[in-house]
Amino acid sequence: MRRAYTCLSILFILILLPFSLAGCSPSTASHHPTVKQGVLDLRDWDLEQKGTVSLNGEWQFYWRQLRDTPDSIPSHFITVPYVWNGYEWNGQKLPGEGYATFIATIRLNPAEKDKLLALYVPDVYTAYRLLLNGKQISENGVVGTSKQTMKPYYMPRLVYFRPETDTLVLTMQISNFVHKNGGMWNEMLVGDAQTLADWKEHSIIVQALLIASLFILGVYHLTIYAIRRKDLPSFYFGLFSFMLSIRATMQENMFLFQLFPNFNWELSKKIEYIILFLGLAVLCLLIQSLYPQEIKKRVVQIIQIICSFFACIAIVTPASIYTRVASIHYNFMLITIVYLMYVLILAVIRKRPFSYINCFVAIFFMITVALDILYYNQIIPYGNFTTFGLLIFTSVQSINLSITFARGFSRVEQMTGELKELNETLELRVQERTQSLEHSLREVARARAEMSIMEERSRIAGDIHDIVGHTLTTTVIQIEAGKRLLSKDLPRALEKLELSQELVRNGLNEIRRAIRIDQEDEEQFVFPGVLYHLVAETEKHTGVKIDTVIEPLPSLTLPQKKFIYHTLKEGLTNGIRHGQSNHFIFTMERRGAMLHLTLKDNGTGTSEIEYGFGLTTMQNRAQKLDGQLMIFSEPGKGCRLSVSLPIVQTSK
């Protein structure tokens, strides 16, 4: 697809190129006569059959003279077309400002006598008066000997005449005090009236098509940008095309002056050169919007600043100054175009969209710019190719943008179709998703219920373990004491057995409370009284000694209270059962935002701590409360249980 598009674009350029170049000049013979020593010999030339002849060659030249007739023996000849800048006159090089007379004699074929012939007189720098055999036949502006007495004007003209003799004396009086160049820099033509009229009409049509194409492209893409403000390539491309269409009206056939004959010449030149200067900056912004990753933003900013500087010079200075500055800008333009070529080649290497064809047309455009620079410096005889190069460049860019829009519209249509299909099946999909969601919610609810049951079972198991372990431990101690007293002191033995029975009964009551709701637990866990009661009961039933220090406590949550209570009970039970401890030190205090409790015993200790069901349950409870439980023990040095909990402020 991409190769087909590239081939199509190249074919479009090849088709457009002949039409672009067709208006450059009328058909002339390959070896037509030239003006030699002020004389053009056409006595053996049939203008109708052999074609138009250019009046290029050596014209008589009279500096600072406005003559009607030539000298009998002229002393100076100047090559036309050419500007008189730099021409040596009496040992001095002439400036661009001044006035002079150009004279050439044409010797016609006698058969041309009384035929309708025509002269094509291009624009000159910057005002002229044309005489034929001493009689004025055309004029552009006002010829004068100073800047105050002259008036510049540009308007290529086709002048018709019927020669009454076979010898024609053409006198061109030219003055220039407003431009850097002076003289005849475009070729003048003489030929059959119909031939030149057809050529002129054709060139007008070609230029009109060029201006209309650029204007329509500009307005079209600026309208697209007005609708879609994010489309910067359309904005820069539209602005660039619109600027070119305006500048094209001031070149070749000078449509601006044909539409507005009294339009100010100085203002027209300012507009022309401002567009020339700023157009380069807009072109860089266009390339940047197309390939932002390949072009340096800083370089574009520098180019904008330089182009704006040139434009400011054109605004505040007369044509005699900014037309000289333009030669510097031409060199800067070449450097910038070379850089843009580098950017496009980089885009080709990275396979960016439309990079191949953009690189091709950019090379073509750069060639036209180089040719025009040579033309404006009088190195080659033909010029004004830049406008056609820009037409081809902008046309290809327009095709690129159109393809981009078409692809975007195709994607929109595709998404619209998918959305329509989605809407048609949306209700069915919603039902399916709803059923699936309901099933998932039921599964989640079932899983949560099972998890809650498991958590509740684990909680009850832990509570029962704490209660049963402590109760059985103290009961075993009482029964063993009763057994030892049976033979010695029966009343005390019975007391021990009754105490054991009370312990078992209390344990059963605590097991029943373990499975009750939290509101009932709140009544059982009143701190610190419940802790003192546990310590006292343990001392009473086991005979151990427990030193207790409980500092004033903050408000604690019920889970924290239950955890502390059962942790103390489990620690005492393990110390008595496994550590053979008979002395404990229990402390509980607040340290900043943490609550710390420590239970230390004087038991046998151990080098390896085994985490059974009780210790594992305590650790899990501590983690759920964002707390930490640690156990330290060494053989012969007892065991130390340390717990830290974050303090959670409650209203209770």
Side-chain angles (χ1 to χ4, degrees):
M1 179 66 182
R2 182 175 295 176
R3 291 182 179 178
Y5 162 70
T6 303
C7 294
L8 180 63
S9 299
I10 295 174
L11 180 61
F12 166 78
I13 293 172
L14 294 177
I15 293 173
L16 185 62
L17 184 59
F19 290 98
S20 301
L21 299 179
C24 292
S25 63
S27 59
T28 58
S30 58
H31 300 287
H32 60 75
T34 59
V35 180
K36 297 179 180 179
Q37 294 293 305
V39 178
L40 176 62
D41 191 353
L42 298 179
R43 288 176 294 184
D44 297 327
W45 191 272
D46 189 325
L47 293 174
E48 184 176 2
Q49 297 297 326
K50 294 185 178 181
T52 301
V53 177
S54 63
L55 301 182
N56 297 343
E58 301 170 340
W59 285 53
Q60 298 179 40
F61 182 65
Y62 302 91
W63 177 244
R64 288 190 175 275
Q65 299 180 46
L66 298 178
R67 303 175 61 95
D68 294 341
T69 58
D71 282 343
S72 57
I73 303 177
S75 58
H76 289 273
F77 295 92
I78 189 170
T79 302
V80 173
Y82 204 73
V83 295
W84 65 52
N85 305 45
Y87 179 79
E88 288 193 4
W89 179 272
N90 296 332
Q92 294 183 350
K93 291 186 177 181
L94 300 182
E97 294 82 1
Y99 57 94
T101 300
F102 296 75
I103 299 178
T105 301
I106 303 175
R107 294 175 181 174
L108 293 174
N109 188 324
E112 304 292 347
K113 185 178 178 181
D114 294 327
K115 283 187 177 181
L116 184 61
L117 303 180
L119 282 169
Y120 171 70
V121 187
D123 55 299
V124 301
Y125 293 128
T126 51
Y128 74 83
R129 180 171 175 259
L130 178 63
L131 293 85
L132 180 62
N133 293 336
K135 181 180 179 181
Q136 179 175 320
I137 59 174
S138 181
E139 184 180 33
N140 248 6
V142 177
V143 177
T145 58
S146 66
K147 185 175 182 180
Q148 291 73 26
T149 58
M150 74 154 291
K151 180 180 179 181
Y153 199 75
Y154 278 177
M155 179 62 73
R157 299 180 186 274
L158 200 60
V159 182
Y160 299 95
F161 66 96
R162 291 184 185 273
E164 298 177 355
T165 64
D166 57 2
T167 301
L168 305 177
V169 178
L170 290 179
T171 303
M172 179 74 79
Q173 299 175 356
I174 300 176
S175 64
N176 170 63
F177 292 93
V178 294
H179 200 278
K180 71 169 184 175
N181 295 324
M184 299 170 59
W185 74 292
N186 276 322
E187 64 178 9
M188 186 183 299
L189 305 173
V190 61
D192 178 69
Q194 188 61 46
T195 301
L196 281 174
D198 292 342
W199 166 76
K200 181 67 173 177
E201 181 180 0
H202 178 72
S203 65
I204 290 175
I205 293 174
V206 171
Q207 189 178 9
L209 289 175
L210 171 66
I211 295 172
S213 300
L214 292 173
F215 181 79
I216 292 173
L217 286 174
V219 173
Y220 172 73
H221 288 90
L222 287 176
T223 303
I224 291 177
Y225 173 75
I227 298 173
R228 190 172 182 268
R229 293 300 181 90
K230 294 183 179 180
D231 191 6
L232 285 179
S234 291
F235 172 73
Y236 293 127
F237 177 74
L239 181 60
F240 188 62
S241 299
F242 187 74
M243 292 169 65
L244 292 181
S245 68
I246 296 176
R247 189 170 188 270
T249 63
M250 306 173 191
Q251 296 177 319
E252 290 294 328
N253 293 289
M254 304 295 174
F255 277 93
L256 178 65
F257 291 98
Q258 292 183 15
L259 295 174
F260 307 99
N262 297 322
F263 197 88
N264 184 271
W265 180 89
E266 179 72 33
L267 179 59
S268 70
K269 298 307 292 182
K270 282 185 180 292
I271 295 174
E272 179 184 353
Y273 277 82
I274 289 172
I275 292 176
L276 173 66
F277 298 149
L278 295 182
L280 183 63
V282 177
L283 178 61
C284 291
L285 291 172
L286 172 60
I287 300 299
Q288 183 186 32
S289 65
L290 293 173
Y291 305 110
Q293 297 179 347
E294 281 68 39
I295 195 169
K296 298 294 185 181
K297 185 177 180 181
R298 188 67 176 175
V299 174
V300 176
Q301 291 175 345
I302 293 174
I303 293 173
Q304 288 180 273
I305 293 173
I306 295 175
C307 290
S308 300
F309 173 74
F310 280 110
C312 290
I313 293 177
I315 292 173
V316 301
T317 62
S320 57
I321 295 179
Y322 62 74
T323 53
R324 287 185 172 86
V325 174
S327 58
I328 302 175
H329 184 268
Y330 288 140
N331 297 327
F332 174 69
M333 180 185 295
L334 282 177
I335 296 173
T336 303
I337 292 177
V338 170
Y339 172 71
L340 294 180
M341 281 299 307
Y342 161 76
V343 171
L344 292 173
I345 293 174
L346 192 61
V348 171
I349 295 174
R350 296 177 179 177
K351 298 181 179 180
R352 303 300 186 192
F354 309 114
S355 57
Y356 292 96
I357 188 61
N358 283 341
C359 186
F360 176 79
V361 297
I363 292 174
F364 179 81
F365 169 60
M366 187 173 70
I367 292 174
T368 61
V369 171
L371 290 176
D372 272 7
I373 291 176
L374 295 175
Y375 169 66
Y376 290 131
N377 287 278
Q378 300 288 305
I379 299 175
I380 60 176
Y382 300 104
N384 288 330
F385 298 116
T386 303
T387 304
F388 301 113
L390 287 172
L391 175 62
I392 293 174
F393 179 79
T394 53
S395 298
V396 171
Q397 291 302 319
S398 179
I399 294 173
N400 294 345
L401 293 175
S402 298
I403 293 175
T404 302
F405 294 152
R407 289 176 179 175
F409 291 147
S410 298
R411 287 195 294 268
V412 170
E413 290 176 353
Q414 180 181 358
M415 293 176 63
T416 302
E418 293 176 355
L419 182 61
K420 183 178 180 181
E421 180 182 357
L422 179 62
N423 289 335
E424 292 175 352
T425 59
L426 181 60
E427 185 175 353
L428 178 61
R429 293 185 180 182
V430 168
Q431 292 178 354
E432 294 176 354
R433 292 296 178 91
T434 302
Q435 292 176 357
S436 176
L437 182 60
E438 290 177 351
H439 177 72
S440 299
L441 290 175
R442 287 195 295 269
E443 292 295 327
V444 171
R446 186 181 299 110
R448 287 182 176 177
E450 292 178 357
M451 185 180 297
S452 298
I453 292 173
M454 293 299 296
E455 290 179 353
E456 185 64 15
R457 287 178 178 175
S458 178
R459 182 189 67 80
I460 295 174
D463 291 347
I464 292 176
H465 172 272
D466 295 338
I467 296 168
V468 172
H470 185 76
T471 300
L472 292 181
T473 298
T474 54
T475 301
V476 167
I477 293 174
Q478 295 299 325
I479 291 175
E480 289 179 352
K483 287 170 61 179
R484 288 193 299 269
L485 293 173
L486 280 175
S487 59
K488 299 178 180 180
D489 191 347
L490 184 59
R492 289 192 62 192
L494 293 175
E495 181 182 350
K496 295 294 184 181
L497 292 176
E498 289 178 356
L499 187 58
S500 299
Q501 183 179 9
E502 182 182 355
L503 289 172
V504 172
R505 186 180 298 109
N506 291 336
L508 290 174
N509 291 332
E510 289 187 14
I511 291 174
R512 294 189 184 97
R513 285 196 299 271
I515 60 175
R516 292 178 182 175
I517 61 176
D518 288 345
Q519 291 178 348
E520 295 176 331
D521 286 339
E522 283 286 355
E523 299 175 358
Q524 303 299 325
F525 290 94
V526 179
F527 269 38
V530 67
L531 299 179
Y532 285 122
H533 179 74
L534 175 61
V535 169
E537 289 294 312
T538 303
E539 287 181 328
K540 174 182 177 182
H541 298 300
T542 61
V544 300
K545 183 179 180 181
I546 304 174
D547 296 332
T548 304
V549 178
I550 301 177
E551 295 185 355
L553 300 177
S555 298
L556 301 174
T557 63
L558 177 62
Q560 288 178 326
K561 293 178 181 179
K562 294 178 67 175
F563 169 71
I564 294 171
Y565 177 81
H566 290 298
T567 298
L568 177 59
K569 181 182 288 188
E570 178 70 15
L572 293 173
T573 301
N574 288 339
I576 296 172
R577 180 191 300 175
H578 304 294
Q580 306 300 318
S581 303
N582 57 17
H583 184 209
F584 293 87
I585 300 175
F586 173 63
T587 60
M588 187 162 60
E589 60 183 348
R590 176 175 182 171
R591 299 176 188 173
M594 301 295 291
L595 180 67
H596 293 266
L597 64 91
T598 304
L599 180 65
K600 185 177 180 181
D601 62 49
N602 63 346
T604 58
T606 179
S607 59
E608 296 182 0
I609 301 174
E610 296 182 0
Y611 284 80
F613 180 80
L615 292 180
T616 302
T617 301
M618 282 195 296
Q619 276 197 331
N620 292 336
R621 287 174 176 173
Q623 292 176 358
K624 289 181 179 180
L625 297 174
D626 296 327
Q628 188 177 18
L629 182 145
M630 294 181 292
I631 301 175
F632 306 93
S633 180
E634 293 183 17
K637 295 184 179 180
C639 181
R640 179 167 62 88
L641 175 67
S642 178
V643 175
S644 60
L645 290 175
I647 297 174
V648 180
Q649 296 296 334
T650 65
S651 58
K652 295 183 180 181

